[in-house]
Amino acid sequence: MDSQRKIVTASPENSETPLETVASWVTPNRLFFVRNHFVVPPGDRAHWELSLEGRVARQKRWTFEALAAMPQHSVFATVECAGNGRSFLREKAAGVQWGAGAIGHAEWTGVRLRDLLEPAGLAASALEVVFEGADQGTEPDHPTPMYFSRSLPLAKALDPDTLIALRMNGDWLDGNHGAPMRLFVPGWYGVASVKWLRRIRVIDHAYPGYFQTKKYSIERITSSGRRQLPLGPGIVKSEILQPAPNASVGVGTNRIAGIAWAGEERVSRVDVSTDGGRSWHAAHLKGLQQTYSWCHWESLWTVDSPGDFSLMARAHTESGQTQPFEYDASNLGYLINVIVPRVVHVTSQEQAPAAFADDRSWADAMLAFSEENRRHSLDVELAFTGGEGI
Ligand SMILES: Nc1nc2c(c(=O)[nH]1)N[C@H]1C(S)=C(S)[C@@H](COP(=O)(O)O)O[C@H]1N2
Ligand SMILES: [Mo]
């Protein structure tokens, strides 16, 4: 059977990338996880307009066609939902009970946000930029309807890699991933990348939006005491993809493989333990290691007697960030990078010895993908029929 997204809630769709069957560097769009708070709004390219207002000298409006005709920029980046892995927490936290799959990696293409903001003339008082989607609804603690919206600090909004994305892996965005356009904020949790983007507003104060004060915020000690702050950049994390939870493997040499990522940073090392955290050894990092993107890793494990084993992976960054053994409760059910032991059973059956996958072919596959995408003409003549939708 074809692999499919793993549905967590059907309506609105919240679904996971089937990580155990999608081991490629780039996640195919149809398998890429979906996090929707409200019903997907109609994403009609022919009639879509994006507006810019607030603390700018000149208000602006763009059609989809106008943005598609501007210079395009591409960024490879991993997107993780801030609640990814919530179902593994020992103390249950409210929210969608995600397994490990609220994550994916894609090439995002569109217009640099700063190419829209700078020509509009930012006021000296500009502090944050608010992004509003076309989807709306209510939450149990917010019974009046609201549009999904969130803000970015000005510096991240002006970062050359922050995009208004029109394409994902070379194809126009599909409905679930924000068609016809979304904000794309590489290195930050998915919540920052507002889908079905319709309105941009430059403001001179801290935005008190629901999705960064009531939800998607974390507790931190600041100069003015303990405060709840909007969550933003991703933190370092890894996931074991192989062997699967509770898998049975034979004695001999087995392959342990997985992924690791670190928000705006680069993964520098992944350590693996096969004895419940008593001893660790460095895994082999494969292919490209770059900021924003997950990297694959693997390790060979020779085991000569049967039994139950507890496998762990622990990723590190160049700046010394690493994964904790205990969940930090001040993260309020988000930023879940605690090490989750993976129990596997070793049987007395002899295992055909595993070997490292070929490094060269991995790098080649990544580069071929990127080349292929660049062959798509990004400034094609757009001929849309009214109501074509997504
Ligand atoms: N307009 C809008 N944007 C949104 C959301 C949403 O519900 N509405 N969900 C956010 C969250 S929490 C995540 S994790 C990402 C998920 O992006 P994806 O569904 O394309 O994987 O979109 C973000 N952008
Ligand atoms: Mo999310």
Side-chain angles (χ1 to χ4, degrees), residues 307-355:
D308 285 354
F309 290 80
S310 170
L311 313 185
M312 296 179 181
R314 189 180 200 205
H316 304 261
T317 69
E318 283 155 354
S319 75
Q321 250 201 89
T322 189
Q323 297 181 247
F325 292 94
E326 289 293 331
Y327 180 65
D328 176 353
S330 69
N331 288 343
L332 307 178
Y334 301 105
L335 276 66
I336 303 157
N337 68 340
V338 58
I339 295 167
V340 180
R342 161 80 43 103
V343 174
V344 298
H345 314 291
V346 175
T347 67
S348 53
Q349 185 127 30
E350 191 80 28
Q351 169 86 29

mmCIF file of all heavy atoms in Angstrom, residues 307-355:
data_model
loop_
_atom_site.group_PDB
_atom_site.id
_atom_site.type_symbol
_atom_site.label_atom_id
_atom_site.label_comp_id
_atom_site.label_asym_id
_atom_site.label_seq_id
_atom_site.Cartn_x
_atom_site.Cartn_y
_atom_site.Cartn_z
ATOM 1 N N GLY A 307 18.269 -10.381 24.159
ATOM 2 C CA GLY A 307 17.755 -9.653 25.324
ATOM 3 C C GLY A 307 17.048 -8.391 24.881
ATOM 4 O O GLY A 307 16.937 -8.114 23.684
ATOM 5 N N ASP A 308 16.562 -7.613 25.868
ATOM 6 C CA ASP A 308 15.928 -6.321 25.574
ATOM 7 C C ASP A 308 16.966 -5.222 25.738
ATOM 8 O O ASP A 308 17.713 -5.221 26.726
ATOM 9 C CB ASP A 308 14.759 -6.068 26.529
ATOM 10 C CG ASP A 308 13.565 -6.928 26.156
ATOM 11 O OD1 ASP A 308 13.622 -7.604 25.102
ATOM 12 O OD2 ASP A 308 12.581 -6.921 26.917
ATOM 13 N N PHE A 309 16.994 -4.300 24.802
ATOM 14 C CA PHE A 309 17.971 -3.212 24.827
ATOM 15 C C PHE A 309 17.264 -1.866 24.710
ATOM 16 O O PHE A 309 16.252 -1.755 24.030
ATOM 17 C CB PHE A 309 18.982 -3.373 23.681
ATOM 18 C CG PHE A 309 19.913 -4.536 23.882
ATOM 19 C CD1 PHE A 309 19.495 -5.828 23.575
ATOM 20 C CD2 PHE A 309 21.193 -4.353 24.396
ATOM 21 C CE1 PHE A 309 20.336 -6.918 23.782
ATOM 22 C CE2 PHE A 309 22.038 -5.431 24.596
ATOM 23 C CZ PHE A 309 21.613 -6.719 24.289
ATOM 24 N N SER A 310 17.837 -0.873 25.388
ATOM 25 C CA SER A 310 17.279 0.475 25.340
ATOM 26 C C SER A 310 18.215 1.373 24.534
ATOM 27 O O SER A 310 19.335 1.656 24.954
ATOM 28 C CB SER A 310 17.120 0.980 26.780
ATOM 29 O OG SER A 310 16.802 2.340 26.774
ATOM 30 N N LEU A 311 17.744 1.790 23.342
ATOM 31 C CA LEU A 311 18.555 2.641 22.458
ATOM 32 C C LEU A 311 18.209 4.105 22.690
ATOM 33 O O LEU A 311 17.056 4.438 22.948
ATOM 34 C CB LEU A 311 18.286 2.303 20.984
ATOM 35 C CG LEU A 311 18.290 0.837 20.567
ATOM 36 C CD1 LEU A 311 18.120 0.731 19.049
ATOM 37 C CD2 LEU A 311 19.572 0.145 21.006
ATOM 38 N N MET A 312 19.209 4.955 22.606
ATOM 39 C CA MET A 312 18.985 6.402 22.735
ATOM 40 C C MET A 312 19.851 7.124 21.730
ATOM 41 O O MET A 312 20.947 6.675 21.396
ATOM 42 C CB MET A 312 19.398 6.891 24.125
ATOM 43 C CG MET A 312 18.575 6.321 25.253
ATOM 44 S SD MET A 312 19.214 6.960 26.819
ATOM 45 C CE MET A 312 18.112 6.144 27.953
ATOM 46 N N ALA A 313 19.349 8.291 21.278
ATOM 47 C CA ALA A 313 20.154 9.176 20.421
ATOM 48 C C ALA A 313 20.145 10.549 21.069
ATOM 49 O O ALA A 313 19.150 10.954 21.677
ATOM 50 C CB ALA A 313 19.561 9.244 19.029
ATOM 51 N N ARG A 314 21.274 11.239 20.968
ATOM 52 C CA ARG A 314 21.396 12.563 21.579
ATOM 53 C C ARG A 314 22.186 13.466 20.642
ATOM 54 O O ARG A 314 23.371 13.227 20.388
ATOM 55 C CB ARG A 314 22.121 12.415 22.921
ATOM 56 C CG ARG A 314 22.107 13.682 23.730
ATOM 57 C CD ARG A 314 22.826 13.496 25.038
ATOM 58 N NE ARG A 314 22.413 14.512 25.978
ATOM 59 C CZ ARG A 314 23.137 14.928 27.000
ATOM 60 N NH1 ARG A 314 24.323 14.378 27.237
ATOM 61 N NH2 ARG A 314 22.684 15.865 27.803
ATOM 62 N N ALA A 315 21.516 14.495 20.116
ATOM 63 C CA ALA A 315 22.154 15.394 19.156
ATOM 64 C C ALA A 315 22.773 16.585 19.871
ATOM 65 O O ALA A 315 22.315 16.996 20.944
ATOM 66 C CB ALA A 315 21.133 15.877 18.134
ATOM 67 N N HIS A 316 23.839 17.127 19.274
ATOM 68 C CA HIS A 316 24.556 18.292 19.801
ATOM 69 C C HIS A 316 24.712 19.319 18.690
ATOM 70 O O HIS A 316 24.739 18.967 17.507
ATOM 71 C CB HIS A 316 25.964 17.886 20.264
ATOM 72 C CG HIS A 316 25.993 16.793 21.277
ATOM 73 N ND1 HIS A 316 26.130 17.004 22.618
ATOM 74 C CD2 HIS A 316 25.885 15.445 21.114
ATOM 75 C CE1 HIS A 316 26.126 15.844 23.258
ATOM 76 N NE2 HIS A 316 25.973 14.881 22.364
ATOM 77 N N THR A 317 24.884 20.591 19.084
ATOM 78 C CA THR A 317 25.177 21.640 18.090
ATOM 79 C C THR A 317 26.560 22.214 18.363
ATOM 80 O O THR A 317 27.146 21.985 19.422
ATOM 81 C CB THR A 317 24.174 22.804 18.166
ATOM 82 O OG1 THR A 317 24.386 23.508 19.396
ATOM 83 C CG2 THR A 317 22.748 22.315 18.089
ATOM 84 N N GLU A 318 27.032 23.012 17.380
ATOM 85 C CA GLU A 318 28.347 23.648 17.513
ATOM 86 C C GLU A 318 28.411 24.552 18.741
ATOM 87 O O GLU A 318 29.458 24.689 19.359
ATOM 88 C CB GLU A 318 28.644 24.472 16.250
ATOM 89 C CG GLU A 318 29.060 23.585 15.087
ATOM 90 C CD GLU A 318 28.793 24.191 13.721
ATOM 91 O OE1 GLU A 318 28.168 25.261 13.637
ATOM 92 O OE2 GLU A 318 29.213 23.565 12.731
ATOM 93 N N SER A 319 27.278 25.173 19.108
ATOM 94 C CA SER A 319 27.300 26.099 20.251
ATOM 95 C C SER A 319 27.146 25.370 21.587
ATOM 96 O O SER A 319 27.096 25.998 22.637
ATOM 97 C CB SER A 319 26.189 27.140 20.108
ATOM 98 O OG SER A 319 24.943 26.554 20.410
ATOM 99 N N GLY A 320 27.030 24.027 21.563
ATOM 100 C CA GLY A 320 26.977 23.270 22.809
ATOM 101 C C GLY A 320 25.576 22.937 23.300
ATOM 102 O O GLY A 320 25.405 22.411 24.389
ATOM 103 N N GLN A 321 24.551 23.237 22.471
ATOM 104 C CA GLN A 321 23.191 22.803 22.825
ATOM 105 C C GLN A 321 23.123 21.288 22.741
ATOM 106 O O GLN A 321 23.697 20.696 21.829
ATOM 107 C CB GLN A 321 22.241 23.314 21.752
ATOM 108 C CG GLN A 321 21.272 24.400 22.095
ATOM 109 C CD GLN A 321 20.118 24.380 21.088
ATOM 110 O OE1 GLN A 321 19.130 23.684 21.307
ATOM 111 N NE2 GLN A 321 20.262 25.124 20.002
ATOM 112 N N THR A 322 22.384 20.666 23.657
ATOM 113 C CA THR A 322 22.153 19.228 23.512
ATOM 114 C C THR A 322 20.783 18.863 24.068
ATOM 115 O O THR A 322 20.061 19.719 24.577
ATOM 116 C CB THR A 322 23.284 18.410 24.155
ATOM 117 O OG1 THR A 322 23.113 17.036 23.793
ATOM 118 C CG2 THR A 322 23.281 18.526 25.679
ATOM 119 N N GLN A 323 20.409 17.590 23.942
ATOM 120 C CA GLN A 323 19.081 17.159 24.381
ATOM 121 C C GLN A 323 19.101 16.730 25.839
ATOM 122 O O GLN A 323 20.019 16.041 26.270
ATOM 123 C CB GLN A 323 18.623 15.982 23.523
ATOM 124 C CG GLN A 323 18.455 16.324 22.067
ATOM 125 C CD GLN A 323 17.970 15.112 21.301
ATOM 126 O OE1 GLN A 323 18.682 14.570 20.479
ATOM 127 N NE2 GLN A 323 16.751 14.664 21.574
ATOM 128 N N PRO A 324 18.069 17.120 26.601
ATOM 129 C CA PRO A 324 18.023 16.782 28.022
ATOM 130 C C PRO A 324 17.456 15.374 28.273
ATOM 131 O O PRO A 324 16.825 14.780 27.401
ATOM 132 C CB PRO A 324 17.063 17.831 28.580
ATOM 133 C CG PRO A 324 16.102 18.070 27.453
ATOM 134 C CD PRO A 324 16.908 17.917 26.184
ATOM 135 N N PHE A 325 17.677 14.873 29.483
ATOM 136 C CA PHE A 325 17.099 13.588 29.894
ATOM 137 C C PHE A 325 15.746 13.760 30.572
ATOM 138 O O PHE A 325 15.002 12.808 30.724
ATOM 139 C CB PHE A 325 18.064 12.842 30.818
ATOM 140 C CG PHE A 325 19.300 12.379 30.099
ATOM 141 C CD1 PHE A 325 20.450 13.145 30.082
ATOM 142 C CD2 PHE A 325 19.291 11.179 29.400
ATOM 143 C CE1 PHE A 325 21.575 12.728 29.403
ATOM 144 C CE2 PHE A 325 20.412 10.753 28.713
ATOM 145 C CZ PHE A 325 21.560 11.528 28.705
ATOM 146 N N GLU A 326 15.473 15.000 31.025
ATOM 147 C CA GLU A 326 14.197 15.283 31.692
ATOM 148 C C GLU A 326 13.509 16.422 30.958
ATOM 149 O O GLU A 326 14.170 17.386 30.556
ATOM 150 C CB GLU A 326 14.431 15.727 33.151
ATOM 151 C CG GLU A 326 14.885 14.623 34.082
ATOM 152 C CD GLU A 326 13.826 13.552 34.321
ATOM 153 O OE1 GLU A 326 12.614 13.878 34.244
ATOM 154 O OE2 GLU A 326 14.208 12.387 34.566
ATOM 155 N N TYR A 327 12.202 16.336 30.816
ATOM 156 C CA TYR A 327 11.452 17.409 30.157
ATOM 157 C C TYR A 327 11.384 18.627 31.071
ATOM 158 O O TYR A 327 11.138 18.509 32.274
ATOM 159 C CB TYR A 327 10.041 16.927 29.806
ATOM 160 C CG TYR A 327 9.231 18.010 29.133
ATOM 161 C CD1 TYR A 327 9.598 18.487 27.890
ATOM 162 C CD2 TYR A 327 8.119 18.578 29.769
ATOM 163 C CE1 TYR A 327 8.878 19.497 27.261
ATOM 164 C CE2 TYR A 327 7.394 19.579 29.154
ATOM 165 C CZ TYR A 327 7.776 20.038 27.906
ATOM 166 O OH TYR A 327 7.066 21.042 27.298
ATOM 167 N N ASP A 328 11.608 19.791 30.497
ATOM 168 C CA ASP A 328 11.560 21.054 31.233
ATOM 169 C C ASP A 328 10.112 21.559 31.234
ATOM 170 O O ASP A 328 9.600 22.012 30.205
ATOM 171 C CB ASP A 328 12.490 22.049 30.525
ATOM 172 C CG ASP A 328 12.455 23.432 31.155
ATOM 173 O OD1 ASP A 328 11.621 23.676 32.059
ATOM 174 O OD2 ASP A 328 13.267 24.275 30.718
ATOM 175 N N ALA A 329 9.462 21.479 32.419
ATOM 176 C CA ALA A 329 8.034 21.790 32.505
ATOM 177 C C ALA A 329 7.721 23.243 32.154
ATOM 178 O O ALA A 329 6.587 23.557 31.782
ATOM 179 C CB ALA A 329 7.517 21.464 33.906
ATOM 180 N N SER A 330 8.729 24.131 32.222
ATOM 181 C CA SER A 330 8.462 25.532 31.868
ATOM 182 C C SER A 330 8.258 25.695 30.356
ATOM 183 O O SER A 330 7.928 26.781 29.884
ATOM 184 C CB SER A 330 9.591 26.438 32.364
ATOM 185 O OG SER A 330 10.760 26.199 31.631
ATOM 186 N N ASN A 331 8.431 24.628 29.609
ATOM 187 C CA ASN A 331 8.130 24.676 28.171
ATOM 188 C C ASN A 331 6.637 24.463 27.883
ATOM 189 O O ASN A 331 6.227 24.489 26.720
ATOM 190 C CB ASN A 331 8.968 23.659 27.400
ATOM 191 C CG ASN A 331 10.433 24.073 27.317
ATOM 192 O OD1 ASN A 331 10.768 25.235 27.543
ATOM 193 N ND2 ASN A 331 11.310 23.126 27.024
ATOM 194 N N LEU A 332 5.850 24.245 28.944
ATOM 195 C CA LEU A 332 4.384 24.254 28.856
ATOM 196 C C LEU A 332 3.795 23.346 27.774
ATOM 197 O O LEU A 332 2.812 23.701 27.115
ATOM 198 C CB LEU A 332 3.893 25.705 28.644
ATOM 199 C CG LEU A 332 4.396 26.758 29.655
ATOM 200 C CD1 LEU A 332 3.856 28.151 29.288
ATOM 201 C CD2 LEU A 332 3.983 26.401 31.081
ATOM 202 N N GLY A 333 4.397 22.184 27.584
ATOM 203 C CA GLY A 333 3.850 21.229 26.600
ATOM 204 C C GLY A 333 4.358 21.459 25.191
ATOM 205 O O GLY A 333 3.869 20.838 24.237
ATOM 206 N N TYR A 334 5.339 22.368 25.023
ATOM 207 C CA TYR A 334 5.978 22.613 23.720
ATOM 208 C C TYR A 334 7.474 22.317 23.844
ATOM 209 O O TYR A 334 7.951 21.970 24.923
ATOM 210 C CB TYR A 334 5.786 24.077 23.305
ATOM 211 C CG TYR A 334 4.346 24.487 23.200
ATOM 212 C CD1 TYR A 334 3.760 25.287 24.188
ATOM 213 C CD2 TYR A 334 3.554 24.091 22.124
ATOM 214 C CE1 TYR A 334 2.425 25.680 24.095
ATOM 215 C CE2 TYR A 334 2.226 24.475 22.030
ATOM 216 C CZ TYR A 334 1.667 25.271 23.011
ATOM 217 O OH TYR A 334 0.353 25.648 22.919
ATOM 218 N N LEU A 335 8.236 22.503 22.752
ATOM 219 C CA LEU A 335 9.699 22.346 22.766
ATOM 220 C C LEU A 335 10.098 21.028 23.438
ATOM 221 O O LEU A 335 10.764 20.993 24.478
ATOM 222 C CB LEU A 335 10.369 23.526 23.496
ATOM 223 C CG LEU A 335 10.637 24.798 22.684
ATOM 224 C CD1 LEU A 335 9.338 25.465 22.266
ATOM 225 C CD2 LEU A 335 11.479 25.778 23.469
ATOM 226 N N ILE A 336 9.650 19.926 22.829
ATOM 227 C CA ILE A 336 9.795 18.603 23.447
ATOM 228 C C ILE A 336 10.989 17.888 22.799
ATOM 229 O O ILE A 336 10.837 17.227 21.769
ATOM 230 C CB ILE A 336 8.484 17.811 23.274
ATOM 231 C CG1 ILE A 336 7.334 18.614 23.891
ATOM 232 C CG2 ILE A 336 8.596 16.420 23.901
ATOM 233 C CD1 ILE A 336 5.976 18.280 23.348
ATOM 234 N N ASN A 337 12.175 18.051 23.378
ATOM 235 C CA ASN A 337 13.360 17.402 22.794
ATOM 236 C C ASN A 337 14.015 16.437 23.785
ATOM 237 O O ASN A 337 15.173 16.058 23.610
ATOM 238 C CB ASN A 337 14.378 18.429 22.283
ATOM 239 C CG ASN A 337 15.040 19.219 23.399
ATOM 240 O OD1 ASN A 337 14.522 19.283 24.514
ATOM 241 N ND2 ASN A 337 16.169 19.822 23.119
ATOM 242 N N VAL A 338 13.254 16.052 24.813
ATOM 243 C CA VAL A 338 13.758 15.107 25.809
ATOM 244 C C VAL A 338 14.081 13.772 25.115
ATOM 245 O O VAL A 338 13.407 13.364 24.172
ATOM 246 C CB VAL A 338 12.715 14.954 26.947
ATOM 247 C CG1 VAL A 338 11.366 14.492 26.423
ATOM 248 C CG2 VAL A 338 13.217 14.039 28.041
ATOM 249 N N ILE A 339 15.145 13.118 25.559
ATOM 250 C CA ILE A 339 15.558 11.834 24.969
ATOM 251 C C ILE A 339 14.539 10.757 25.326
ATOM 252 O O ILE A 339 14.204 10.576 26.501
ATOM 253 C CB ILE A 339 16.959 11.439 25.491
ATOM 254 C CG1 ILE A 339 17.987 12.464 24.999
ATOM 255 C CG2 ILE A 339 17.327 10.018 25.067
ATOM 256 C CD1 ILE A 339 19.326 12.371 25.701
ATOM 257 N N VAL A 340 14.017 10.087 24.299
ATOM 258 C CA VAL A 340 13.015 9.041 24.522
ATOM 259 C C VAL A 340 13.678 7.687 24.240
ATOM 260 O O VAL A 340 14.065 7.415 23.098
ATOM 261 C CB VAL A 340 11.787 9.235 23.597
ATOM 262 C CG1 VAL A 340 10.754 8.150 23.834
ATOM 263 C CG2 VAL A 340 11.173 10.619 23.794
ATOM 264 N N PRO A 341 13.857 6.826 25.267
ATOM 265 C CA PRO A 341 14.484 5.531 25.035
ATOM 266 C C PRO A 341 13.652 4.677 24.074
ATOM 267 O O PRO A 341 12.430 4.738 24.089
ATOM 268 C CB PRO A 341 14.515 4.879 26.421
ATOM 269 C CG PRO A 341 14.225 5.970 27.390
ATOM 270 C CD PRO A 341 13.446 7.018 26.661
ATOM 271 N N ARG A 342 14.333 3.947 23.210
ATOM 272 C CA ARG A 342 13.678 3.094 22.219
ATOM 273 C C ARG A 342 14.008 1.648 22.576
ATOM 274 O O ARG A 342 15.165 1.233 22.461
ATOM 275 C CB ARG A 342 14.225 3.487 20.842
ATOM 276 C CG ARG A 342 14.070 2.524 19.713
ATOM 277 C CD ARG A 342 12.704 2.533 19.092
ATOM 278 N NE ARG A 342 12.140 3.859 18.893
ATOM 279 C CZ ARG A 342 12.083 4.502 17.733
ATOM 280 N NH1 ARG A 342 12.566 3.940 16.642
ATOM 281 N NH2 ARG A 342 11.522 5.690 17.639
ATOM 282 N N VAL A 343 13.017 0.884 23.024
ATOM 283 C CA VAL A 343 13.280 -0.497 23.421
ATOM 284 C C VAL A 343 13.194 -1.419 22.199
ATOM 285 O O VAL A 343 12.244 -1.342 21.424
ATOM 286 C CB VAL A 343 12.281 -0.950 24.519
ATOM 287 C CG1 VAL A 343 12.451 -2.431 24.838
ATOM 288 C CG2 VAL A 343 12.461 -0.098 25.770
ATOM 289 N N VAL A 344 14.222 -2.247 22.007
ATOM 290 C CA VAL A 344 14.189 -3.250 20.942
ATOM 291 C C VAL A 344 14.580 -4.612 21.526
ATOM 292 O O VAL A 344 15.243 -4.697 22.565
ATOM 293 C CB VAL A 344 15.137 -2.909 19.766
ATOM 294 C CG1 VAL A 344 14.741 -1.607 19.099
ATOM 295 C CG2 VAL A 344 16.574 -2.842 20.215
ATOM 296 N N HIS A 345 14.098 -5.660 20.883
ATOM 297 C CA HIS A 345 14.347 -7.023 21.347
ATOM 298 C C HIS A 345 15.362 -7.669 20.420
ATOM 299 O O HIS A 345 15.169 -7.675 19.204
ATOM 300 C CB HIS A 345 13.048 -7.824 21.337
ATOM 301 C CG HIS A 345 11.905 -7.069 21.944
ATOM 302 N ND1 HIS A 345 11.833 -6.773 23.291
ATOM 303 C CD2 HIS A 345 10.819 -6.493 21.371
ATOM 304 C CE1 HIS A 345 10.735 -6.073 23.519
ATOM 305 N NE2 HIS A 345 10.099 -5.889 22.385
ATOM 306 N N VAL A 346 16.404 -8.214 21.013
ATOM 307 C CA VAL A 346 17.392 -8.949 20.217
ATOM 308 C C VAL A 346 17.113 -10.439 20.404
ATOM 309 O O VAL A 346 17.071 -10.930 21.541
ATOM 310 C CB VAL A 346 18.833 -8.594 20.650
ATOM 311 C CG1 VAL A 346 19.847 -9.460 19.906
ATOM 312 C CG2 VAL A 346 19.119 -7.119 20.395
ATOM 313 N N THR A 347 16.875 -11.121 19.280
ATOM 314 C CA THR A 347 16.598 -12.555 19.335
ATOM 315 C C THR A 347 17.885 -13.326 19.045
ATOM 316 O O THR A 347 18.878 -12.740 18.605
ATOM 317 C CB THR A 347 15.542 -12.945 18.276
ATOM 318 O OG1 THR A 347 16.132 -12.764 16.984
ATOM 319 C CG2 THR A 347 14.292 -12.093 18.393
ATOM 320 N N SER A 348 17.852 -14.634 19.249
ATOM 321 C CA SER A 348 19.076 -15.422 19.062
ATOM 322 C C SER A 348 19.370 -15.684 17.584
ATOM 323 O O SER A 348 20.410 -16.225 17.227
ATOM 324 C CB SER A 348 18.962 -16.752 19.813
ATOM 325 O OG SER A 348 17.777 -17.387 19.410
ATOM 326 N N GLN A 349 18.422 -15.304 16.727
ATOM 327 C CA GLN A 349 18.614 -15.472 15.275
ATOM 328 C C GLN A 349 19.827 -14.668 14.802
ATOM 329 O O GLN A 349 19.998 -13.525 15.195
ATOM 330 C CB GLN A 349 17.376 -14.958 14.568
ATOM 331 C CG GLN A 349 17.402 -15.185 13.081
ATOM 332 C CD GLN A 349 16.136 -15.897 12.636
ATOM 333 O OE1 GLN A 349 15.082 -15.725 13.245
ATOM 334 N NE2 GLN A 349 16.240 -16.714 11.620
ATOM 335 N N GLU A 350 20.620 -15.295 13.946
ATOM 336 C CA GLU A 350 21.801 -14.610 13.393
ATOM 337 C C GLU A 350 21.361 -13.583 12.351
ATOM 338 O O GLU A 350 20.531 -13.867 11.493
ATOM 339 C CB GLU A 350 22.736 -15.650 12.774
ATOM 340 C CG GLU A 350 24.106 -15.136 12.402
ATOM 341 C CD GLU A 350 25.066 -15.035 13.597
ATOM 342 O OE1 GLU A 350 24.891 -15.817 14.568
ATOM 343 O OE2 GLU A 350 25.971 -14.187 13.534
ATOM 344 N N GLN A 351 21.939 -12.398 12.427
ATOM 345 C CA GLN A 351 21.569 -11.273 11.571
ATOM 346 C C GLN A 351 22.551 -11.164 10.411
ATOM 347 O O GLN A 351 23.751 -11.228 10.634
ATOM 348 C CB GLN A 351 21.657 -10.029 12.469
ATOM 349 C CG GLN A 351 21.587 -8.715 11.802
ATOM 350 C CD GLN A 351 20.145 -8.303 11.632
ATOM 351 O OE1 GLN A 351 19.287 -8.678 12.418
ATOM 352 N NE2 GLN A 351 19.889 -7.556 10.587
ATOM 353 N N ALA A 352 22.059 -10.958 9.183
ATOM 354 C CA ALA A 352 22.987 -10.655 8.074
ATOM 355 C C ALA A 352 23.638 -9.317 8.402
ATOM 356 O O ALA A 352 22.932 -8.368 8.740
ATOM 357 C CB ALA A 352 22.217 -10.567 6.763
ATOM 358 N N PRO A 353 24.983 -9.218 8.376
ATOM 359 C CA PRO A 353 25.626 -7.995 8.854
ATOM 360 C C PRO A 353 25.189 -6.764 8.065
ATOM 361 O O PRO A 353 25.129 -6.798 6.840
ATOM 362 C CB PRO A 353 27.120 -8.269 8.660
ATOM 363 C CG PRO A 353 27.244 -9.588 8.016
ATOM 364 C CD PRO A 353 25.912 -10.227 7.876
ATOM 365 N N ALA A 354 24.837 -5.706 8.800
ATOM 366 C CA ALA A 354 24.439 -4.445 8.173
ATOM 367 C C ALA A 354 25.682 -3.662 7.804
ATOM 368 O O ALA A 354 26.762 -3.904 8.338
ATOM 369 C CB ALA A 354 23.587 -3.644 9.152
ATOM 370 N N ALA A 355 25.536 -2.731 6.877
ATOM 371 C CA ALA A 355 26.658 -1.868 6.491
ATOM 372 C C ALA A 355 26.136 -0.449 6.342
ATOM 373 O O ALA A 355 24.937 -0.238 6.204
ATOM 374 C CB ALA A 355 27.255 -2.356 5.180
#
